[in-house]
Amino acid sequence: MDLTRLPDSAGLVFVDGSNSRGGQKLMEALIASGEFALVLHDCADKTGYATFRRLTPQLAWDEGMLGDIPSAVATH
């Protein structure tokens, strides 16, 4: 499973369908990478779901990460 498609800013990864073959492979890859820790896993739900937290430092969030869609950027 190729984890390079995950953005370096991803602090959390949600796996919907963790009971499926692909979901299991993704979870195994996240754990084996050493960059993520399993926070929550519910395999009793229909297809299962899991949440992972990044352990390694991540890039700071930047407005440009959302592209050029001003409405997608939250302002306070």
Side-chain angles (χ1 to χ4, degrees):
M1 181 71 51
D2 182 16
L3 298 180
T4 59
R5 294 181 61 193
L6 285 175
D8 290 335
S9 61
L12 294 174
V13 175
F14 300 98
V15 179
D16 186 19
S18 62
N19 292 343
S20 70
R21 185 172 183 82
Q24 289 174 354
K25 286 186 176 279
L26 176 56
M27 289 179 52
E28 290 171 4
L30 288 166
I31 291 168
S33 75
E35 292 186 49
F36 295 90
L38 180 63
V39 176
L40 172 71
H41 182 212
D42 185 352
C43 57
D45 184 57
K46 286 183 186 179
T47 59
Y49 61 89
T51 304
F52 287 84
R53 179 178 57 86
R54 184 181 292 272
L55 299 173
T56 56
Q58 62 199 66
L59 291 179
W61 181 256
D62 180 342
E63 282 186 15
M65 292 178 179
L66 292 175
D68 296 328
I69 307 170
S71 63
V73 180
T75 56
H76 299 284

